Amino acid sequence: MSSEDPIALMVFTRDLRIEDNPALRGAANGSKVVCAFVHDAALRSGPSMDRGRMRFLAECLADLDGSLRRIGSRLEEREGVWVDEVLRLVAETGARTIHLADDVTPYARRRFSRLEAAAGRSARVWRTPGLTIVPPGVAAPEGGDHYRVFTPYYRRWSAVPRRQLLAGPATLRLPQTATEMGGSGPRGTEKRSRSETRRGGERAARARLAAWHSGALASYGERRDDLDEPATSRLSTDLHFGCLSPLAVESALVGRPGSVPFLRQLCWRDFYLQLLAARPEVAWSGYLHKSGRPATDPVAFEAWRRGCTGVPIVDAAMRQLAAEGFIPNRARMIAASFLTKNLGADWRDGARHFLEHLVDADVALNNLNWQWVAGLGTGSNPHRVLNPTRQARRFDPSGAYVRRHVPELRGLDRPAVHEPWVLGRRELARLGYPEPVVSVGEIGP
């Protein structure tokens, strides 16, 4: 290759990995490559970037930089108005192409549109699929652009041929202009709290995947909803940040004992993303059932948010969210049902709170699942209510989950650990635990 080889700019977004990264492979195809990540000032200043998520992101970027350096490159980090910073990188490097992983959220689409308009003829923007196993729109019904119901989508999705997995590039060539850039490399990470045990980055994610599929995967179908010792993968954050390719996860698991129910969950992920791709407005409106905006009682909402509702299984979920930035899916459903059905609150208020605190926060998966629980989304039942006490008895039969996250109740045995109100007001006051914010008849047997 000559010194006049074209220069490509690879802008990482939600694809923070080397392996099976179609956008990175496209950038490296015959070009010298500058790799960058732009911290979007509009996102970093908003409530959606809590400290736990920023810490995980920083660890992902440090790991990505290390992987790039091992193949002859490095990661350039910038911060500011996203489109402006990408175009500044184009001007500094002389890049003729900009490579990005495609996305479906309304915000990502607006960024892409602004970038493509601003880049004009100076640099061509390539958006490459990779967010899902089956790209949105590929598994579509005859005469339509997307499936509204999961089961027929699952059948069609299962039959779609998969693209070939892509190995990470063995080497990347940096242009001379990359050594003259005035940006910065990866930043330091804040100290992790005691409750945060999951480190960000592709190498850590691949190790988690290997450990899980050789262990708890076999019992996933039977124990995925157990709250005391769930058999869940905890890979949702890795998939959200793109530390793992969803196609690589599917490829690693297919055919293994216990894999079918988990692969079905990966299909649910694709299903919601194809819904949002086709109907971006449903991010904040009911998909099938429209309704007004119920008034959220601020006092009751604050009790729910702080995990002080007097309903132990709900409080355990909300306190785990505050401490770890994570809740098992079953606990998310119980907490969401309680807020929308028992407290009569607007699902959007709960969805925003989850987005602000979940490290794996994803607009499509979070919001459309909230709609399902509230009875407003695709495949949902507007009359479905998850009775929290029954859910607790079924999925936390020993009370271990509640005791782990609600220390006031650690000394209680069953059934009082799930129904402490049976002990009376005086005993609740002694324990320092609140009375239920709703009548016991709504949450009891």
Side-chain angles (χ1 to χ4, degrees):
M1 293 282 187
S2 70
S3 60
E4 298 179 356
D5 290 339
I7 297 172
L9 174 63
M10 170 65 198
V11 182
F12 289 90
T13 51
R14 287 173 58 186
D15 56 336
L16 306 180
R17 63 182 183 273
I18 298 295
E19 296 298 320
D20 195 44
N21 189 325
L24 179 60
R25 284 294 298 267
N29 186 21
S31 300
K32 295 180 178 179
V33 184
V34 175
C35 295
F37 182 89
V38 175
H39 296 272
D40 190 330
L43 293 178
R44 287 178 69 86
S45 61
S48 63
M49 286 302 283
D50 75 338
R51 292 182 63 184
R53 195 173 311 144
M54 292 182 71
R55 183 161 35 247
F56 193 91
L57 171 61
E59 291 171 353
C60 291
L61 296 176
D63 178 80
L64 178 60
D65 180 65
S67 296
L68 289 170
R69 288 178 185 275
R70 284 189 287 275
I71 58 175
S73 185
R74 65 183 178 85
L75 185 67
E76 179 78 7
E77 287 191 49
R78 299 291 176 90
E79 181 173 354
V81 177
W82 190 81
V83 170
D84 293 350
E85 291 302 319
V86 172
L87 293 178
R88 187 170 289 113
L89 284 162
V90 168
E92 292 177 12
T93 62
R96 301 298 296 171
T97 56
I98 306 168
H99 298 259
L100 306 121
D102 207 356
D103 206 335
V104 301
T105 68
Y107 185 78
R109 287 171 144 191
R110 289 194 296 270
R111 288 199 319 189
F112 289 148
S113 296
R114 289 196 296 267
L115 177 62
E116 288 164 346
R121 295 182 179 181
S122 61
R124 183 170 181 177
V125 179
W126 291 95
R127 292 157 54 180
T128 309
L131 179 66
T132 56
I133 295 172
V134 175
V138 171
E142 185 175 351
D145 60 353
H146 72 288
Y147 278 97
R148 296 169 175 245
V149 180
F150 175 76
T151 300
Y153 176 78
Y154 178 61
R155 289 195 294 264
R156 179 73 181 91
W157 178 89
S158 300
V160 172
R162 304 314 196 227
R163 66 169 174 81
Q164 185 177 0
L165 284 173
L166 300 173
T171 59
L172 288 176
R173 297 177 301 126
L174 274 172
Q176 180 63 34
T177 51
T179 64
E180 302 167 358
M181 292 188 295
S184 64
R187 307 156 189 212
T189 60
E190 298 181 49
K191 185 178 180 181
R192 315 177 104 253
S193 71
R194 185 174 299 177
S195 62
E196 293 174 319
T197 59
R198 304 181 71 75
R199 183 166 294 278
E202 181 179 12
R203 285 178 297 172
R206 292 173 70 86
R208 278 192 286 272
L209 173 62
W212 182 68
H213 74 52
S214 63
L217 172 64
S219 59
Y220 175 79
E222 296 77 30
R223 296 184 47 236
R224 65 183 179 185
D225 284 324
D226 293 352
L227 292 175
D228 52 354
E229 293 184 15
T232 53
S233 69
R234 294 288 298 264
L235 297 176
S236 56
T237 307
D238 301 315
L239 287 167
H240 174 70
F241 283 95
C243 303
L244 292 173
S245 150
L247 181 62
V249 173
E250 180 191 51
S251 179
L253 301 183
V254 68
R256 291 178 176 270
S259 65
V260 172
F262 183 78
L263 296 179
R264 189 178 176 90
Q265 295 304 306
L266 289 180
C267 181
W268 269 107
R269 181 179 183 273
D270 276 15
F271 176 68
Y272 280 146
L273 288 165
Q274 62 99 34
L275 281 178
L276 192 60
R279 298 269 299 276
E281 72 277 6
V282 303
W284 293 101
S285 66
Y287 181 78
L288 294 180
H289 304 282
K290 305 297 181 184
S291 69
R293 292 178 176 263
T296 298
D297 181 337
V299 175
F301 182 78
E302 180 66 11
W304 177 84
R305 187 189 69 80
R306 293 175 52 232
C308 295
T309 66
V311 183
I313 196 70
V314 174
D315 293 343
M318 299 309 295
R319 295 186 194 188
Q320 183 184 20
L321 172 63
E324 301 178 15
F326 177 82
I327 326 177
N329 186 59
R330 175 57 56 174
R332 298 186 195 200
M333 293 169 63
I334 295 169
S337 178
F338 185 80
L339 181 69
T340 57
K341 298 301 179 67
N342 296 100
L343 298 182
D346 191 328
W347 68 269
R348 299 168 187 84
D349 293 329
R352 287 190 184 92
H353 182 74
F354 272 27
L355 286 175
E356 289 172 6
H357 294 282
L358 286 170
V359 179
D360 66 6
D362 185 289
V363 169
L365 278 64
N366 179 71
N367 290 22
L368 290 172
N369 270 313
W370 266 91
Q371 291 180 34
W372 185 90
V373 172
L376 302 171
T378 176
S380 61
N381 178 352
H383 306 294
R384 181 189 294 112
V385 179
L386 300 181
N387 182 292
T389 304
R390 293 176 189 167
Q391 293 281 310
R393 290 198 197 106
R394 181 177 178 185
F395 298 112
D396 185 28
S398 70
Y401 179 73
V402 166
R403 293 189 194 92
R404 186 180 308 131
H405 298 290
V406 186
E408 304 99 299
L409 306 180
R410 282 178 184 165
L412 299 184
D413 295 325
R414 294 179 297 168
V417 70
H418 290 310
E419 305 167 74
W421 50 84
V422 302
L423 301 174
R425 291 184 176 180
R426 181 175 298 178
E427 183 61 14
L428 285 177
R430 187 190 69 81
L431 294 170
Y433 190 67
E435 295 181 53
V437 295
V438 295
S439 68
V440 172
E442 291 186 51
I443 55 178

